[in-house]
Amino acid sequence: MKSSLRKSRLPVPEQAWENSLGMQFEPVNPLPGVLFSRWETHVRDYAAFCAASGRTLPVLDVDKDGKNDQEQLQDHPIVMVTRADAVAFCEWLTQRDRKERWLPEDMVYRLPTDAEWSIAADRPDSPQLLTPAERHNNWKN
């Protein structure tokens, strides 16, 4: 009887990885163990969360006609979400991917800290600057 092994779907430390929704993540030096999404969360990814949680997909409806004024496509970044919405999305995705064995129990999806964001944005002085205000005020460009 011949048997074949399936490639693991779990992330490998310090290597690029694609999750169950097709979101792509990359390691960021010098942040060991941290992977950043290659792009902002897409409409399609957030729509999966809305469908699973009974939420309504947010739309930008300035003229109040019930239509999305931005005519967003599925691969556009989601808009009109609060920080609390983003945290809820991360918590939902963590539970979903753990259940489907895409994510180990010791890993979570989360929003980056301000310091991590600064490092990912290639701010070499970020570790020395302690507060978000210091990082912002030291920005040269």
Side-chain angles (χ1 to χ4, degrees):
M1 183 170 151
K2 195 176 199 180
S3 123
S4 59
L5 295 175
R6 268 190 331 177
K7 182 180 177 186
S8 174
R9 300 183 291 195
L10 297 172
V12 175
E14 310 312 316
Q15 290 186 19
W17 176 67
E18 186 173 302
N19 75 359
S20 66
L21 292 178
M23 298 170 74
Q24 296 178 10
F25 295 84
E26 298 281 339
V28 176
N29 288 327
L31 298 172
V34 176
L35 298 175
F36 263 73
S37 178
R38 291 185 68 196
W39 52 72
E40 295 173 286
T41 300
H42 288 153
V43 169
R44 75 171 148 266
D45 304 325
Y46 198 80
F49 163 61
C50 289
S53 64
R55 292 176 180 241
T56 302
L57 192 63
V59 297
L60 181 61
D61 185 14
V62 177
D63 54 10
K64 308 290 185 224
D65 64 356
K67 297 178 184 172
N68 188 340
D69 294 338
Q70 290 192 331
E71 298 181 17
Q72 286 192 290
L73 301 176
Q74 292 296 303
D75 61 346
H76 285 173
I78 189 67
V79 298
M80 305 298 293
V81 294
T82 65
R83 181 177 177 81
D85 294 332
V87 168
F89 171 76
C90 291
E91 290 171 352
W92 167 79
L93 189 53
T94 296
Q95 294 307 313
R96 178 183 190 270
D97 277 5
R98 282 180 178 168
K99 182 179 178 183
E100 295 182 11
R101 300 181 193 266
W102 282 82
L103 195 68
E105 290 295 320
D106 63 341
M107 293 183 80
V108 297
Y109 294 101
R110 64 175 175 80
L111 300 176
T113 65
D114 184 79
E116 289 169 338
W117 188 257
S118 293
I119 291 168
D122 201 22
R123 293 290 314 274
D125 56 351
S126 292
Q128 294 87 343
L129 303 175
L130 301 178
T131 68
E134 286 177 331
R135 284 188 286 278
H136 175 77
N137 292 333
N138 196 44
W139 192 259
K140 302 288 186 248
N141 296 325

